[in-house]
Amino acid sequence: MRIAVIGAGVAGLATAKVLMQAGHDVQVFDKSPDVGGVWSRTRRYPGLTTQSPKAQYALSDLPMPRDYPEWPTGTQVQAYLATYAAEFGIAGALRLSTEVTSARPGADGTWTVETRDSKGGTVQWDFDRLVIANGVFCEPVVPSYPGVEEFTAAGGRLCAGTEFHDAEDARGKHVLVVGYGKSACDVTVPISAVAASTDVIARQLLWKIPRKVGKVLNFKMLLMTRLGEALFRYARLRGIEKFLHGPGNGLRRRMVNSIGSVSVGQFGLKRLGLVPHGTMEDIVRGAIGLATEGFFEGVADGTIVVRRDRTVVRLLAAGGRPSAELSDGTTLPADLVVCATGFTQGVPFLPADVQEQLLDERGNFMLYRQILPVGIPGLYFNGYNSSFFSPLNAEMAAVWIAADLAGAVPLPDVMTMRQAVVDQLAFMDAATDGHHCRGTKIIPFSMHNVDEVLSDVGVDIKARTRAAHWLNPVAPAAYRGITAAVLARLDPKRGPTDSGPAPASDAQAPRVH
C-alpha cells in the first residue's frame, strides 16, 4: 500500500521503518527541517535531556552509542534518530520542511493529503492509508496573561520553553520560569547560570526522583522494571499484581513511598521548603519527575528561587520595566518569562466531522490500543501512547499497524472496541486524576500496553527474558526480534533477517503463539 506518515519523531520513524520492511510505499511528512520531533533543533531548549536512561530510550534494533551519557542530551538524541533513519533506509522517504495542511478521507479507507513546503508551494497526494504520528508534545501551551501588550512594549519577552533555544538570551536578565515539571527544571539550571535572577513559579510541586537513589542506585532499578510498574494498580490485575494490591498492599505502599522519603532527605527538601503535598504514590496522578542535576543545588545556594503554590496572574510594566504579578500579590521584575506549562494535543489538519468521530465529548482521543480510531477507516495513530518507554511502545504499535494492514489482528466488533476505549479512559481518569493528556499518556502502565499490543498479534519475547524484567530494567533490545517474527508470519517467504541489520540473539528471540 501507499501510506502517509505525519511526523518524523520517534513514532513516525519507527512506523516508517516497520511499514517499509513490510513492503509498503511510505512517505513521511514533517514541518521541521530535521528528524526528531521533540528533539528537533527547532524545539530544543538549553538543558534538555532524556528522562529515561539511554538503554530504555533506545529503539530495539539500534542501541545508542556507547559514548553517550546515561541520560543523553537533546542534541545527542536527535543525532541518534538521524542515524536510525539512515540505517534503515528511511531518509529517502522523508519530506522535511513540509507541513500537512489537510488530510481528507476518501473511499475504502483512502486519504488525500495536502502539504505546504517552506517556500509556500502546495502539493496534493493520494494514499491508501494514513498514520498520524505528529506527537502529543508538539504544540506548547502558553497562558494568556492579562497585560501582555504592556509587558512586551516595555521590552519583556514571553515564550514557551520549546521556543527558548539559547541560554545566552537570559544573560543579565530577570527571568521567570513558569512550571515545575521536568522541562521547567531542566531549562532553569542553565538560565540561572547567566541570569541576574531566576524565579520558578510553581502552581503545584511534584515529587522529584533522584537519578541515583541514595546517590548509589540508578532509579531505573526501581521504577523501570515490571515490578516497579506493578506497584501501581492497573485496570486488570494479573499474577503478582493481585498480591501487591491485595494482601501485600501495605508492603507495596511502603515500597513506593520510601522513595519519597529518600528524596526528601537526599535533596534536603524540608530545609528548602519544597516537600510536595501528598505522598510519592501520588506520582501516578500527575507525572514522574526526574530531578534535574543542579536544580536543588541552585535553590540551596540562592541562584534559583522557587515560589511554590503560586501562579502568574498578570504581566505589566512596573516603573517602566517588564514585571509579573503573582497570585500572592508579589510583583517581580521579569525581562523574560519562559512557560513550561504543558502541551495541547491536536490534529488541525483533519476535517471537523472526522475530529468529531475521533474525540469524545471531553476532547479525549478515542483510540483502541492507543492506535486505532474506531469507525474511521484507513486511519491509525502512533505515539499517542506516551510512556516511560515511548520508543518501545511506538515500535510495537508500528508492528500492530503492519499486522492490521495485513488483516492479521483479530479485532473485536466496533461496539466492543468502543466500549473498551471508554472503559480505559474511565480507568485512566481515576488512576491519574485526569492527567492523561486527553487519553494520550499511559504512564505508569507502559509495559501493560506493550503486552496488550503483542497479545493481539500473537507474539512475545521469551518467558525467561520477560521474567528477568521483573527485577531488572526492561530492555527494549530484548524486543528486537518481534518485527521480524511478525513480518515472517505475514509473509512466509520473508527471511528471518529481512527486518533489520542483524538477527535477534537466542535470548531475544520471540515466542509466536
Side-chain angles (χ1 to χ4, degrees):
M1 292 185 181
R2 184 169 166 80
I3 301 174
V5 177
I6 301 176
V10 172
L13 294 177
T15 301
K17 176 253 186 186
V18 172
L19 296 186
M20 290 171 69
Q21 290 176 343
H24 298 291
D25 177 9
V26 178
Q27 298 289 315
V28 183
F29 301 98
D30 198 298
K31 62 184 178 181
S32 296
D34 54 357
V35 301
V38 296
W39 309 103
S40 165
R41 65 176 181 270
T42 63
R43 304 187 60 210
R44 289 197 299 265
Y45 51 83
L48 174 62
T49 68
T50 62
Q51 180 149 268
S52 300
K54 64 179 179 181
Q56 281 63 51
Y57 199 78
L59 290 144
S60 73
D61 41 14
L62 185 68
M64 287 199 181
R66 291 184 178 180
D67 61 353
Y68 275 22
E70 182 74 337
W71 287 273
T73 66
T75 301
Q76 290 171 324
V77 176
Q78 194 281 326
Y80 164 77
L81 293 174
T83 299
Y84 182 86
E87 180 80 21
F88 292 102
I90 304 169
L94 296 173
R95 300 291 177 265
L96 301 176
S97 299
T98 303
E99 180 180 7
V100 172
T101 57
S102 172
R104 303 187 308 275
D108 301 321
T110 61
W111 289 80
T112 297
V113 173
E114 294 182 2
T115 62
R116 180 174 56 230
D117 62 28
S118 57
K119 297 180 180 179
T122 60
V123 179
Q124 181 172 294
W125 313 68
D126 292 320
F127 292 98
D128 298 309
R129 298 292 184 266
L130 173 63
V131 181
I132 295 176
N134 63 334
V136 299
F137 304 120
C138 60
E139 297 298 334
V141 173
V142 176
S144 299
Y145 294 120
V148 65
E149 295 85 0
E150 177 185 350
F151 170 80
T152 54
R157 178 187 174 192
L158 172 68
C159 67
T162 55
E163 297 169 336
F164 182 75
H165 304 304
D166 188 351
E168 282 300 310
D169 292 343
R171 182 169 294 278
K173 295 181 179 179
H174 297 284
V175 182
L176 269 57
V177 178
V178 184
Y180 198 71
K182 178 181 179 296
S183 60
C185 296
D186 279 356
V187 78
T188 294
V189 172
I191 285 176
S192 67
V194 298
S197 66
T198 307
D199 290 83
V200 176
I201 314 303
R203 177 177 57 86
Q204 178 184 12
L205 296 187
L206 302 174
W207 284 100
K208 300 292 184 179
I209 299 176
R211 295 188 179 203
K212 291 192 175 180
V213 178
K215 299 183 180 180
V216 175
L217 186 65
N218 192 315
F219 93 101
K220 68 182 180 182
M221 301 299 298
L222 300 177
L223 291 180
M224 302 199 78
T225 64
R226 284 184 174 270
L227 177 59
E229 182 167 321
L231 296 176
F232 302 98
R233 186 184 186 93
Y234 192 53
R236 295 166 290 280
L237 299 180
R238 58 191 183 185
I240 194 173
E241 294 173 342
K242 294 180 180 179
F243 168 77
L244 290 172
H245 297 276
N249 190 52
L251 171 64
R252 179 197 64 80
R253 290 181 65 87
R254 288 192 294 274
M255 290 173 67
V256 173
N257 292 322
S258 65
I259 302 173
S261 299
V262 170
S263 297
V264 170
Q266 187 167 328
F267 296 135
L269 298 184
K270 285 185 178 179
R271 175 172 50 86
L272 300 177
L274 295 179
V275 178
H277 299 302
T279 64
M280 177 62 84
E281 188 168 11
D282 294 332
I283 198 170
V284 72
R285 295 183 175 274
I288 183 171
L290 188 67
T292 300
E293 291 184 330
F295 181 82
F296 290 113
E297 293 84 349
V299 176
D301 68 23
T303 56
I304 297 171
V305 176
V306 177
R307 298 179 184 271
R308 63 175 297 172
D309 307 317
R310 275 167 270 191
T311 60
V312 174
V313 295
R314 70 176 178 127
L315 301 177
L316 68 155
R321 66 178 306 168
S323 305
E325 181 183 337
L326 306 186
S327 53
D328 65 352
T330 302
T331 297
L332 298 174
D335 303 305
L336 172 64
V337 178
V338 179
C339 294
T341 44
F343 297 84
T344 184
Q345 296 74 42
V347 282
F349 43 80
L350 291 180
D353 60 330
V354 174
Q355 294 195 44
E356 287 179 8
Q357 291 179 271
L358 175 63
L359 306 174
D360 69 9
E361 67 280 358
R362 295 178 298 152
N364 293 318
F365 285 81
M366 298 282 289
L367 301 174
Y368 182 70
R369 296 291 193 241
Q370 309 296 132
I371 301 169
L372 187 70
V374 181
I376 306 177
L379 180 62
Y380 300 91
F381 284 73
N382 200 352
Y384 280 54
N385 49 5
S386 175
S387 76
F388 290 162
F389 303 92
S390 288
L392 177 62
N393 286 94
E395 192 175 357
M396 296 304 101
V399 172
W400 192 99
I401 293 169
D404 190 61
L405 288 169
V409 177
L411 293 174
D413 62 76
V414 169
M415 291 302 295
T416 300
M417 285 193 289
R418 193 179 303 278
Q419 188 59 50
V421 176
V422 169
D423 292 346
Q424 186 71 9
L425 284 170
F427 164 72
M428 291 300 289
D429 276 341
T432 70
D433 197 23
H435 296 133
H436 49 65
C437 298
R438 299 176 65 194
T440 67
K441 188 179 77 172
I442 59 175
I443 290 174
F445 307 112
S446 316
M447 297 311 298
H448 282 82
N449 175 257
V450 168
D451 293 343
E452 290 167 354
V453 165
L454 293 185
S455 177
D456 286 349
V457 298
V459 297
D460 202 350
I461 59 174
K462 283 193 171 184
R464 67 173 180 267
T465 305
R466 182 181 167 120
H469 290 167
W470 274 89
L471 295 178
N472 295 302
V474 172
Y479 290 79
R480 67 175 299 167
I482 292 292
T483 299
V486 172
L487 297 186
R489 192 173 63 181
L490 299 180
D491 180 6
K493 297 179 182 179
R494 180 182 297 272
T497 62
D498 287 356
S499 292
S505 69
D506 179 66
Q508 297 164 343
R511 293 184 291 119
V512 179
H513 303 327

